[in-house]
Amino acid sequence: MFIQKILLNNFRNFLSADFTVGEGINIFWGGNGSGKTSALEAINYLSQARSFRTTKNSSIINYAAKELTVYSEILSRETNMVSKLGITRDVKGNVCAKINGRILNRVADLAQNICVQTIIPNGLTLLEAGPGFRRSFIDWGCFYHFNNFFDINSGFRKILKQRNILLSSKNVDEDYFNLWNRSFVEYSIELSKIRIEYLNVFNKYANNYILKLLPDLTINMELIPGHKMDVDDFMLQVKNHYKREIMMGYSLIGPHKADLNIKTNNKNSVDSLSRGQQKLLIVALKLAQGIVFQTITKNNCIFLIDDISSELDNNSLNKLYDLIDSLSSNNQFFITCLHNDFPKFQNSKAKMFHVEHNSIIEQELFI
């Protein structure tokens, strides 16, 4: 799916904005605080019904309004059909998402209509941040590659929540707790198997794209699942952790404790790469993840890249521009930057938009 048109009402400081975008590269430039990132945030909202900037979704509704609307028209190249996708959210937290007038009841149903990969400055801590960031990276790929991932992951989360309630009660009926343990082990192993299978696919394809940005590096990612993968071994592990879990009041082992070991040239990436190389690697990983999705499923990815030039030298930035250009015939890009001094793209009819005073105005692309 390719976005063709976007309409915003009361989304942050955009009281009203209506603009038509290109299927290749779309550049939003303007000063700090002009609303560039908010434009990307609104596009991401179409896929996830939540912000990548805050957990307080009510804060993205304009202060003078009672609800926001994000509306889009998206084109399927396969069928040449245009679908109308829209989301409203009010100050009480009520969300209504529709595609062609049909109500979508789950976030998963919304995300399956358009695949969005977000590359933002505060998301470029994949290597240094806690394991949760790396689990999110894996699970993004699992969601878009495996139809059963959402249900298995949701089932695991429900069981984990109930198990933690029992552990925190400090007075657990052992037989009842063992029933939950069996389900916990089954869902855990199934979830971890999907994550491992996805990483096998990713490692197979990703280096082709990573090498375009970092030609001297080979990357390998391995899942640390957070538990034993054999059922009997895992059950024994659960038994051995029981007393400590009762004392702590929550589950100490399982897929929610998983981590991702990211190595470049068989060395720990954080220890062996400079800060600039680390950022370029994370950008390469996220681009590769979207392209692997496109390669396997034959569906395109929509990339949102905020503050593209931050912490990259000119050589690295030019490599990134070349890669984006080469990928833009089959994937859609939305990029923010402070200035309009972009190079000439060979493979894409790029569009440029000036964002100022919370208005979005298409301009001629400066070369």
Side-chain angles (χ1 to χ4, degrees), residues 329-347:
S329 59
N330 291 316
N331 298 277
Q332 193 172 27
F333 289 85
F334 295 87
I335 301 169
T336 69
C337 58
L338 287 172
H339 307 289
N340 60 352
D341 52 348
F342 263 71
K344 182 177 181 180
F345 293 108
Q346 302 296 324
N347 300 314

Side-chain angles (χ1 to χ4, degrees), residues 193-242:
K193 282 182 177 178
I194 291 176
R195 285 173 169 172
I196 291 170
E197 186 176 352
Y198 171 70
L199 285 178
N200 288 336
V201 172
F202 183 84
N203 285 328
K204 179 180 178 181
Y205 290 96
N207 271 308
N208 292 334
Y209 302 100
I210 293 169
L211 286 172
K212 294 180 185 296
L213 295 183
L214 297 161
D216 298 324
L217 297 181
T218 57
I219 186 168
N220 186 68
M221 301 199 298
E222 181 183 1
L223 182 72
I224 304 169
H227 61 90
K228 300 290 186 181
M229 287 299 294
D230 178 80
V231 173
D232 292 336
D233 290 343
F234 192 4
M235 287 300 295
L236 180 60
Q237 194 180 20
V238 168
K239 182 178 179 180
N240 291 338
H241 279 77
Y242 175 69

Side-chain angles (χ1 to χ4, degrees), residues 6-47:
I6 300 171
L7 187 149
L8 309 178
N9 281 324
N10 300 315
F11 192 96
R12 290 202 181 269
N13 289 333
F14 290 112
L15 294 177
S16 180
D18 185 347
F19 50 102
T20 300
V21 298
E23 292 182 17
I25 299 171
N26 297 275
I27 302 161
F28 296 84
W29 75 278
N32 290 324
S34 60
K36 304 184 304 296
T37 301
S38 296
L40 299 195
E41 185 183 20
I43 297 169
N44 184 74
Y45 207 80
L46 287 168
S47 176

Side-chain angles (χ1 to χ4, degrees), residues 83 90 163 227 233 322 345:
S83 297
D90 65 26
R163 191 172 188 270
H227 61 90
D233 290 343
D322 288 342
F345 293 108

Side-chain angles (χ1 to χ4, degrees), residues 177-203:
F177 189 61
N178 284 335
L179 288 174
W180 284 101
N181 279 340
R182 281 193 284 274
S183 295
F184 177 71
V185 167
E186 290 172 2
Y187 270 89
S188 294
I189 290 177
E190 197 66 28
L191 178 56
S192 294
K193 282 182 177 178
I194 291 176
R195 285 173 169 172
I196 291 170
E197 186 176 352
Y198 171 70
L199 285 178
N200 288 336
V201 172
F202 183 84
N203 285 328

Side-chain angles (χ1 to χ4, degrees), residues 43-50 87 107 110-111 116 118 140 144:
I43 297 169
N44 184 74
Y45 207 80
L46 287 168
S47 176
Q48 300 183 17
R50 62 182 175 86
I87 302 174
V107 173
L110 185 63
V116 174
T118 306
W140 184 98
Y144 282 109

